[in-house]
Amino acid sequence: MMRMLGSARSRRLHFPPVLAMLCLFFLPASIVSAQIKFYVSPDGSDANPGTREKPFASVTRARDAIRELKKQGEADEPVHVILDGGIYRLEKPLELTPADSGTKGAPVTYRAADGEKPILSGGMQIEGWKKDGKLWRTTVPEVARGDLYFRQLFVNGKRAPRARTPNKFYLRTAGPIKPLADRRKARREPSTKRGFRFREGDIKRWENLDDVTIELYHSWTTSLHWIEELDLQKRIVRFTNQSNWPVGYWETFERYRIGNYLEALDSPGEWYLDRDDGTLYYWPREGENMQRAEVIAPVLTDLVIFEGEPEEGRFIEHLTFQGLSFQHHDWQFGKDQTVDGQAHARRRIAAIEAQGLRNSAFRDCEVAHVGTHAFWLDKGCQGNRIERCHIHDTGGGGIYVGEPNKVGYMPENDRLKVERNVLENNFIHHTGLRLGGSIGIWVGSSSFNKIRHNEISDFDYTGVSVGWCWNPQKDIFQRGNVIEYNHIHHNVGDILSDNGGIYALGYSPGSVMRGNVIHHIRHYPHINTSNGLYLDAATSHYTLENNLVHDIMGQGVLTKGEHNHIRNNILAFCEENGIWRLSNHDNEKITVKRNIIAQREGMMISGYCHPEHFADIDRNLYWAAGDHRAIFDDWTGRIVKEVPRTGEVNFEQWQELGQDTHSIVANPKFVDADGRDFRLREDSPAGKVGFKEFDFTKAGLYGDEEWTSMPDRIDREPHEFAPPPPKQPINYGFEGYEPGGTPLVRGRLNQAKNCSIAVSDEAAATGERSLKFTDGQAEQSWLPHWSIRLDGPEGGRVKFSSDIMNSKSQPARFSFEFRDWSGSSYHSGPTLWFDRDGTVRVGPRQVGTFQPDTWYHVEIEFDYGAGADKTFTLRIGEHGGKIKTIKYLPFESEQFTTCTWFGITSLENKKASYYVDNVKLNVNE
């Protein structure tokens, strides 16, 4: 009986053929070769011989005993280090070098004793608690002496958040320190990344100001900062370190949290450590008894280090770690370091770090309560396996593979390559708790890896990321990666954006995404979007097949690049698009065949969808569920001449162009669409287009029920979206910006090659600056284009005004337009057309004229809502001169009801320019 992952509670047990090989590890002792065994126990002593009766006390001592055997030439047989259950406090990281290698015939295994759980802990227990009102406190002598300062705390096996404000959602900046006069230049200026203006009372001169942290939320990254300078009078804070992005680049009033000061300790579960006197404060959660609680503070910033020398050809090989738990590890950064960057892949930071590790394995292990990533397989790591590991409660991501920050990278020689690693049957959840934007599984410039049967959930950005090159170069080492049968779901709401269930980056021939199940992926809705399968930038030569993607806040698939094949997938109930194509180069052709795309809202396929962009798009089944209709949207505006501005077409128009000639619009007859059971009934028409049903229950974990049922035991509270950002007043005179710069305005300035929007000092209605729109030949006839989303009530009044001037030498056509865009399609309301011959129109009616190189003033005023009369008032005339008023001008569409969008749209496809100034817009928002 097949079932839908994430909705049904039962799980089939899957034992792929590879498990037969693993059974060799469990053969009776009588039929395996002789073994050397050392025993380790928390009750042992490193002065003991390491026998069952007299075990060692530490793993380090067992490692040294193996080294001694090797020096004596007595390690020609498999070696097992067997650990009893209990906690092993690591005084320093466990370091392994090529001297600790096994061989193919005599591997070295560090494993748990049968039925036991040994914990290798990098933490120390905190005791001596005394009640102090609602709080409890104790003194940590190591902190008071200046020998230690920890940044995380774990109470009774749970992470305790460090005191922060606010406890829920975010604070908002009051904007950048200086307006970003040119947003492109601002990205290259460090001063734009080192502070912001804050609102009164949000930041104070607390006693421990040097230790206070600020966490900024950008689009797909977060950044961590410390305070260098605080000006309470001007309400400006400056950082000791910079972020990757200018503050205010993505939102004028950027989100942030501030933490690590005593006054913020205001909720159960929070704690604060005073560096000066070593006092640790904690507010217990309900039911916690601090006289009996286990409180662990991490001491180490590394737990295990594999220090091979791949440059010299010296590797660490044939080691296995089985049944061990690695816990309690801290993060630490210099206050001058940039703690930011996509995926937090700039530097190798992990509890378990390896370079030059080969043919080794972690099986049935746990990594938990750590400050950064769990694993990092760095340069020279080849042929390793991480299998059936439970990775959770990490400050960073799960498993990282590849050299850090190597963009578009080809290793100098085979010794340095990171390749042929297998990450299989791991459960990775609740990651990115300190370094927001970290990844469940990240693979950078690395090839021929297999990412299979993992379950990844409860992350804040992306589940799996493969590839590390934004440009179209092809001499890079990332190919042949297989991402299959993973179950990726339920990211943590609306923290970050521009994310995916699976994200790929760069030229990757021979790479495949197959058999994955991805659902309930969301994003922060005020900056960017989210995707089930995301082929970003120059991602090319990928095959996406037999994937089930559903309930994505954004797209089922977002594809850029060339020669990608999207076939035999189910893409269902995505809020924006089934497939969104964001590459507009004619040679970047893709194949879309034999897919089922089912939508209740949004587009079936959208983006750059001219026929010449597809190598083959055919034999797909489209289902417009409910009262939705099967619609497509071509951003090029060239599909249907009757709709040159939007390219939105229905299925019949789509087929008339030669698209989807053999495709159909039909109900695919899922067993239970509402219950998300996507099996097909026997009478499904999907077979008519060649769709082949696949068993999506194979995705996710396999093995015994105790293991495969672990994800079902996670309780998730209903998600609550953060309040939207405060609305910026739309009142722009464009003064204070550099000529040629991009102003910081509400909405989006959509530009392209030959099509720009920039501040200009060539002309101005008032002052010295205006906004110049320069049109040119482009794929999209509607660029350049300034669009603003409006979130007013269902009814109200709109007042708009602007000054405009057309160019005399290169006059332009453009429009001012209001839309009701509350669904997948829109209806135009008040619209004003400006023709290059000086005619101003509302529909076919001429309502005025405007001479080139002369400033004119325009006002539009109207009511909207259910009872509005569908007309508007126009006031127009030469700037500073007589203004003509015309009432009762009709809306473009009688179906316009709610005002949700305004745009200034260019309509040429050749060189042309015009200017706008003093733009004001008020909607009863």
Side-chain angles (χ1 to χ4, degrees):
M1 176 82 175
M2 297 174 64
R3 62 169 188 83
M4 175 54 212
L5 284 168
S7 54
R9 310 306 291 178
S10 62
R11 286 179 178 266
R12 292 178 60 187
L13 306 185
H14 302 287
F15 296 93
V18 70
L19 273 190
M21 298 176 62
L22 300 184
C23 292
L24 293 174
F25 286 92
F26 305 100
L27 290 175
S30 59
I31 58 173
V32 297
S33 62
Q35 298 178 352
I36 299 168
K37 295 183 179 179
F38 291 105
Y39 292 85
V40 185
S41 170
D43 299 324
S45 169
D46 282 349
N48 286 341
T51 62
R52 174 72 279 180
E53 294 75 20
K54 294 183 177 181
F56 295 137
S58 70
V59 181
T60 303
R61 178 66 185 93
R63 176 206 64 189
D64 293 343
I66 299 171
R67 288 179 178 178
E68 293 165 9
L69 282 180
K70 294 178 73 174
K71 287 180 181 179
Q72 297 166 11
E74 297 178 4
D76 296 332
E77 299 163 347
V79 179
H80 283 248
V81 176
I82 302 169
L83 283 73
D84 285 342
I87 297 178
Y88 297 83
R89 301 284 183 206
L90 300 178
E91 295 181 359
K92 60 181 181 179
L94 174 62
E95 297 182 358
L96 296 141
T97 70
D100 300 302
S101 294
T103 65
K104 187 174 183 179
V108 176
T109 299
Y110 295 80
R111 69 174 178 85
D114 293 345
E116 299 286 337
K117 182 179 179 179
I119 299 173
L120 278 64
S121 170
M124 61 181 287
Q125 188 155 349
I126 305 294
E127 298 174 327
W129 292 94
K130 296 179 181 179
K131 195 170 186 342
D132 185 4
K134 291 183 178 180
L135 306 179
W136 287 68
R137 59 182 173 82
T138 187
T139 299
V140 184
E142 293 86 349
V143 175
R145 293 195 304 264
D147 298 333
L148 175 67
Y149 184 74
F150 51 86
R151 298 156 185 84
Q152 299 181 115
L153 195 71
F154 306 97
V155 181
N156 292 335
K158 294 183 179 179
R159 178 182 294 265
R162 195 154 66 162
R164 68 208 189 279
T165 298
N167 298 318
K168 183 178 180 181
F169 304 138
Y170 317 98
L171 296 171
R172 292 276 181 177
T173 73
I177 294 175
K178 293 182 178 180
L180 304 183
D182 185 327
R183 294 173 76 242
R184 288 171 292 185
K185 288 183 180 179
R187 292 192 62 181
R188 302 190 295 270
E189 295 177 3
S191 63
T192 67
K193 307 172 184 180
R194 297 187 74 121
F196 57 80
R197 295 183 179 275
F198 58 90
R199 300 171 192 274
E200 187 171 1
D202 284 353
I203 302 178
K204 301 176 181 179
R205 196 172 297 281
W206 297 292
E207 287 188 11
N208 68 325
L209 199 62
D210 288 346
D211 281 332
V212 171
T213 60
I214 293 175
E215 184 175 17
L216 279 166
Y217 295 80
H218 307 285
S219 176
W220 58 86
T221 69
T222 65
S223 59
L224 182 65
H225 304 275
W226 293 265
I227 295 174
E228 180 176 69
E229 181 183 325
L230 182 65
D231 187 328
L232 292 175
Q233 185 176 3
K234 294 181 179 179
R235 296 201 292 276
I236 291 175
V237 61
R238 298 183 190 273
F239 309 147
T240 62
N241 60 337
Q242 69 180 50
S243 61
N244 261 4
W245 292 96
V247 181
Y249 184 92
W250 294 104
E251 295 180 287
T252 302
F253 309 122
E254 197 157 314
R255 299 168 293 155
Y256 74 100
R257 282 180 176 153
I258 187 163
N260 197 33
Y261 58 101
L262 183 59
E263 291 83 350
L265 208 173
D266 57 5
S267 295
E270 290 189 330
W271 63 277
Y272 167 72
L273 176 62
D274 190 313
R275 183 192 294 268
D276 293 334
D277 63 11
T279 302
L280 174 61
Y281 301 87
Y282 179 68
W283 187 331
R285 299 180 177 99
E286 185 177 355
E288 287 179 339
N289 185 331
M290 296 310 295
Q291 294 176 337
R292 296 197 298 267
E294 180 191 62
V295 181
I296 305 295
V299 176
L300 300 183
T301 55
D302 294 289
L303 295 182
V304 183
I305 301 174
F306 296 89
E307 202 63 54
E309 300 174 10
E311 298 92 340
E312 308 301 325
R314 300 185 69 244
F315 301 98
I316 307 167
E317 298 190 90
H318 300 294
L319 299 180
T320 295
F321 298 81
Q322 187 164 332
L324 308 182
S325 181
F326 303 88
Q327 298 187 19
H328 310 132
H329 154 277
D330 211 354
W331 61 269
Q332 183 177 3
F333 300 101
K335 291 185 178 180
D336 60 345
Q337 287 183 300
T338 296
V339 189
D340 192 0
Q342 183 164 330
H344 282 286
R346 280 176 167 266
R347 59 180 66 88
R348 189 179 74 199
I349 44 172
I352 300 172
E353 300 179 355
Q355 62 176 8
L357 181 66
R358 291 189 171 188
N359 304 313
S360 297
F362 283 83
R363 294 192 177 97
D364 291 298
C365 290
E366 178 186 38
V367 182
H369 315 316
V370 298
T372 57
H373 312 312
F375 290 93
W376 199 312
L377 302 181
D378 200 344
K379 59 184 174 183
C381 288
Q382 301 179 12
N384 301 295
R385 305 181 74 93
I386 300 176
E387 301 173 309
R388 196 174 149 138
C389 289
H390 185 199
I391 300 168
H392 61 107
D393 189 33
T394 66
I399 304 172
Y400 276 48
V401 177
E403 289 196 54
N405 211 31
K406 293 285 189 179
V407 178
Y409 174 61
M410 178 62 75
E412 296 176 9
N413 54 61
D414 290 347
R415 297 190 303 273
L416 299 179
K417 288 180 177 178
V418 181
E419 63 178 350
R420 304 187 189 281
N421 298 289
V422 177
L423 316 175
E424 183 166 344
N425 197 24
N426 301 290
F427 182 29
I428 303 172
H429 61 99
H430 291 94
T431 56
L433 300 177
R434 173 67 277 180
L435 303 175
S438 298
I439 309 293
I441 294 177
W442 178 88
V443 176
S445 296
S446 179
S447 296
F448 310 115
N449 301 286
K450 292 184 178 179
I451 305 168
R452 311 179 70 243
H453 285 287
N454 302 286
E455 184 126 356
I456 304 174
S457 69
D458 302 276
F459 49 93
D460 69 349
Y461 174 51
T462 286
V464 173
S465 176
V466 180
W468 205 239
C469 185
W470 283 260
N471 61 54
Q473 72 183 84
K474 298 183 178 180
D475 56 336
I476 56 177
F477 189 64
Q478 49 183 64
R479 59 197 65 214
N481 290 304
V482 177
I483 309 107
E484 61 183 2
Y485 305 114
N486 301 285
H487 184 195
I488 302 169
H489 57 100
H490 289 100
N491 70 324
V492 185
D494 59 334
I495 296 175
L496 298 172
S497 62
D498 201 23
N499 55 308
I502 301 176
Y503 174 92
L505 191 60
Y507 175 74
S508 303
S511 295
V512 179
M513 299 178 190
R514 174 195 302 126
N516 302 286
V517 174
I518 302 172
H519 59 95
H520 293 96
I521 304 297
R522 309 192 70 83
H523 63 270
Y524 176 67
H526 307 290
I527 294 179
N528 218 306
T529 187
S530 57
N531 312 279
L533 301 171
Y534 187 176
L535 308 183
D536 196 9
T539 302
S540 302
H541 294 264
Y542 256 96
T543 296
L544 281 57
E545 61 185 4
N546 295 350
N547 299 288
L548 169 60
V549 180
H550 67 92
D551 292 287
I552 309 298
M553 191 174 171
Q555 287 67 232
V557 175
L558 190 157
T559 176
K560 304 179 187 179
E562 62 182 5
H563 303 301
N564 295 311
H565 304 282
I566 305 169
R567 62 195 185 201
N568 214 82
N569 303 282
I570 297 175
L571 310 174
F573 309 133
C574 302
E575 294 183 19
E576 295 180 11
N577 303 285
I579 297 176
W580 192 18
R581 193 182 193 288
L582 269 185
S583 178
N584 63 338
H585 301 295
D586 292 348
N587 64 321
E588 295 184 350
K589 298 188 177 183
I590 63 171
T591 298
V592 181
K593 296 192 72 172
R594 294 186 285 108
N595 301 283
I596 296 176
I597 301 180
Q599 293 285 87
R600 280 200 168 95
E601 56 186 320
M603 301 286 178
M604 300 293 173
I605 296 179
S606 180
Y608 300 108
C609 297
H610 192 270
E612 65 192 31
H613 290 148
F614 291 102
D616 193 356
I617 177 170
D618 202 6
R619 299 190 180 279
N620 299 294
L621 185 153
Y622 301 101
W623 181 37
D627 59 357
H628 193 50
R629 59 193 179 96
I631 51 176
F632 304 78
D633 190 14
D634 171 49
W635 283 15
T636 67
R638 294 188 297 163
I639 284 189
V640 178
K641 293 180 180 179
E642 286 73 21
V643 283
R645 288 181 294 127
T646 69
E648 181 185 308
V649 297
N650 61 33
F651 183 65
E652 290 73 20
Q653 293 170 311
W654 184 256
Q655 282 190 314
E656 287 174 4
L657 296 155
Q659 309 280 58
D660 276 309
T661 303
H662 302 95
S663 298
I664 60 175
V665 174
N667 186 335
K669 299 189 176 179
F670 297 128
V671 168
D672 183 4
D674 291 338
R676 299 313 191 244
D677 184 342
F678 293 100
R679 292 173 299 157
L680 299 177
R681 301 204 307 253
E682 290 185 2
D683 59 344
S684 170
K688 295 179 181 179
V689 296
F691 179 85
K692 298 185 182 300
E693 191 168 10
F694 53 91
D695 184 0
F696 44 76
T697 66
K698 288 182 178 179
L701 307 179
Y702 60 81
D704 60 85
E705 187 173 358
E706 178 66 22
W707 172 246
T708 61
S709 64
M710 284 185 71
D712 295 330
R713 297 197 289 271
I714 292 180
D715 292 323
R716 297 183 182 90
E717 296 181 0
H719 178 69
E720 184 179 357
F721 277 99
K727 296 302 179 186
Q728 296 172 251
I730 301 176
N731 185 355
Y732 305 121
F734 310 107
E735 304 300 317
Y737 290 98
E738 296 179 8
T742 303
L744 190 63
V745 295
R746 187 165 158 190
R748 291 189 177 184
L749 301 177
N750 301 286
Q751 306 173 70
K753 185 179 180 180
N754 302 323
C755 300
S756 64
I757 304 175
V759 173
S760 174
D761 60 356
E762 298 169 356
T766 59
E768 298 179 348
R769 303 282 192 272
S770 66
L771 192 64
K772 181 179 181 179
F773 288 68
T774 302
D775 210 337
Q777 188 169 4
E779 186 78 15
Q780 305 82 29
S781 62
W782 44 266
L783 289 178
H785 173 66
W786 179 7
S787 61
I788 304 173
R789 280 284 181 181
L790 305 171
D791 298 314
E794 293 184 1
R797 191 165 187 80
V798 175
K799 294 182 179 180
F800 167 80
S801 64
S802 177
D803 297 316
I804 57 171
M805 185 178 79
N806 213 346
S807 167
K808 184 175 184 179
S809 59
Q810 296 177 329
R813 286 192 308 134
F814 56 96
S815 67
F816 292 170
E817 179 184 12
F818 290 88
R819 294 177 183 174
D820 179 347
W821 204 338
S822 51
S824 58
S825 58
Y826 67 82
H827 305 289
S828 296
T831 303
L832 206 57
W833 303 91
F834 299 89
D835 293 332
R836 68 175 72 93
D837 64 1
T839 301
V840 183
R841 292 183 295 107
V842 173
R845 176 182 171 182
Q846 181 173 339
V847 293
T849 59
F850 68 118
Q851 300 300 316
D853 286 355
T854 303
W855 282 101
Y856 284 79
H857 184 72
V858 173
E859 296 179 13
I860 295 173
E861 190 171 345
F862 62 94
D863 295 320
Y864 68 95
D869 63 3
K870 314 291 184 181
T871 66
F872 69 98
T873 297
L874 171 68
R875 298 179 181 89
I876 187 170
E878 190 171 335
H879 185 271
K882 185 177 181 181
I883 302 296
K884 178 172 64 174
T885 299
I886 307 174
K887 296 183 177 181
Y888 309 115
L889 293 168
F891 291 178
E892 287 267 314
S893 170
E894 287 285 327
Q895 293 177 279
F896 179 97
T897 301
T898 303
C899 188
T900 63
W901 185 97
F902 170 75
I904 300 177
T905 305
S906 301
L907 301 170
E908 296 286 1
N909 201 20
K910 62 180 183 178
K911 279 193 173 184
S913 60
Y914 58 100
Y915 305 82
V916 300
D917 200 357
N918 301 317
V919 177
K920 298 180 182 180
L921 174 60
N922 181 274
V923 182
N924 298 325
E925 293 183 311

